[in-house]
Amino acid sequence: TTEIYTLSLHDALPISNIFIAVWAKVIADGTFRARDWTVKVDADATFLPDRLRAALQDHPNAGYISNCHFGLHGPIEVFSRRAVEALAADYGRSVGGSRPETCVQRMPEAITGRAQWGEDMFIDQCLWKVLKVRRDNVYDVLIEDHCDAPKGWRDCKQKGISAFHPFKSKHAYVRCLANADPEAADAIKAAGAAETAKEAAAPATSNRPAAPATPTTAANLPRTVASAPASDEATATHVNMPETSANPRTYNNAAAA
């Protein structure tokens, strides 16, 4: 199952502060406690959850995943329940549960001053260096242009990669997806054709005010990875991976898809 949290990059707050607020919402929601993994994915990343699910079977004891030899990179961030619980405990040390208090106190330069950190560097150092959460290096989860991407990577033909980043247009996104997961790409194309046909068949618009836009929720999104980025907004996606046979722990995951 998937929980979606969306925020605008045009917010005046520094990016680390924005994601501190997002994680506060994830923690308050509490859904992560019923799942093994929580994944944050950028809107302009082509994400293949089935590949990630397979990769995580080899890391049942990981706290979280470092996806680049430079450190954790933000297009896809993968956290175990233990990691989010450690983060939640640190939020609990702050007034109103608004921020990871110990991490902020020990790394104030991350969120103040002129050289503020990216949110990926902040969460990486917070979990690894301050909260002492185990970090597993898994460098075949992500290919992106800021982590020594191989030549021709934008074709997305590398097997087993869970996320490719970035793709700033629908055309580029679908082209990547068509090579990595043809069925999902076909679903996007079919949905686009259906929408075009619907618009063509619709009667002429009147002068009445337009109806308000439908908010983005998990209920009105397809359950495939057939959602191409439509804007420059960043999406913090709370993806809950179901229990796998590789994890000997027993949890009640009856609600998992």
Side-chain angles (χ1 to χ4, degrees), residues 78-116:
V78 185
F79 307 96
S80 71
R81 176 169 50 249
R82 293 188 301 277
V84 186
E85 285 175 341
L87 190 63
D90 205 31
Y91 270 79
R93 299 180 183 104
S94 67
V95 177
S98 61
R99 66 183 194 174
E101 188 66 21
T102 309
C103 291
V104 169
Q105 291 294 333
R106 294 191 185 178
M107 303 182 297
E109 68 276 14
I111 62 172
T112 59
R114 301 182 62 181
Q116 294 161 15

Side-chain angles (χ1 to χ4, degrees), residues 49-61:
D50 287 345
R51 292 185 180 185
L52 180 60
R53 185 177 288 110
L56 291 177
Q57 291 183 7
D58 295 330
H59 300 274
N61 298 314

